[in-house]
Amino acid sequence: MPIDTISAMDIRIDDLRGAATIALLEAHRQNMFEHSPPESVHALDLDGLRQPGITFWSAWEGDVLMGCGALKELNAEQAELKSMRTADGHLRKGVAAKILQHIIAVARNRHYKQLYLETGPVAAFAAARALYARYGFRECGPFADYPEDPYSVFMVLDLTDAQALE
C-alpha cells in the first residue's frame, strides 16, 4: 500500500456543482477517451452522476480537492463503483485507497452483497487494477448492461466474504 502522506482528508457527499469537482471529472472523462475508443468509455458525465441511485463523494484536504468516487446502486443487493479519480497533484499519497475504503464501508452499511466495477485493460489503468485487487476485487464477466468488450476489465468484490479486507 502507498505511504499515507495525508494529514487530514475530509470525504463528503458532493453536489457536483463546484468548479474543482467539475474540472476533475472533465479530466477523468478526457483521460478515459485517450485510452479507450468512444464506445468503450463508460465514465458518467455530470448529468449521469446526478441520477437517483448514485452517491458521489469528493475528498478534500482543506480547500484542495484530492479525489473523488461514486457508488451506483444496481439493485437491492448489488452496486457499482464509478468515477474513481485522484487529482494529479495527489497521486501516490493514498487518496484513492481512502476513497475506496469509504465507498466499500458505505456499500457494506447499505447491505449490498456485491460491489462491481469496470476499468480498462491497458497500462494506464494498471495502478487502478492493482488497487482494486489489493482490496479483494477479482476479475469477473460483464455485469448489469455492460457488453463483452476487449477494452473493459470487469471486477467484483464479494461484500459477504468475512475474509475480505475491511
Side-chain angles (χ1 to χ4, degrees), residues 12-162:
R12 58 184 181 239
I13 292 177
D14 192 309
D15 66 5
L16 297 149
R17 302 207 188 289
T21 299
I22 291 169
L24 182 61
L25 287 168
E26 286 174 355
H28 175 63
R29 282 183 45 87
Q30 179 181 349
N31 185 254
M32 299 302 104
F33 281 102
E34 289 171 6
H35 298 288
S36 302
E39 66 274 9
S40 297
V41 173
H42 303 290
L44 297 173
D45 62 14
L46 288 170
D47 289 336
L49 287 167
R50 290 182 181 131
Q51 295 304 306
I54 297 179
T55 307
F56 181 86
W57 291 273
S58 54
W60 300 82
E61 188 172 39
D63 61 354
V64 177
L65 178 61
M66 300 179 78
C68 64
L71 184 65
K72 176 182 179 181
E73 182 174 288
L74 300 174
N75 57 53
E77 295 185 347
Q78 300 174 325
E80 178 182 4
L81 183 67
K82 297 294 292 182
S83 300
M84 284 284 296
R85 181 71 177 200
T86 300
D88 288 344
H90 300 285
L91 296 170
R92 319 271 181 272
K93 294 181 181 180
V95 173
K98 288 193 181 284
I99 295 169
L100 183 59
Q101 290 167 4
H102 180 83
I103 293 174
I104 291 170
V106 170
R108 283 194 170 111
N109 288 338
R110 291 182 183 178
H111 305 289
Y112 296 128
K113 292 181 179 178
Q114 290 91 27
L115 179 58
Y116 289 92
L117 65 88
E118 181 275 338
T119 189
V122 297
F125 301 104
R129 290 190 312 272
L131 172 71
Y132 301 136
R134 280 195 305 274
Y135 280 87
F137 284 84
R138 61 177 174 72
E139 288 191 28
C140 63
F143 61 92
D145 59 355
Y146 288 100
E148 268 299 332
D149 185 341
Y151 288 93
S152 289
V153 173
F154 302 102
M155 301 180 84
V156 62
L157 175 64
D158 180 356
L159 297 171
T160 66
D161 182 357

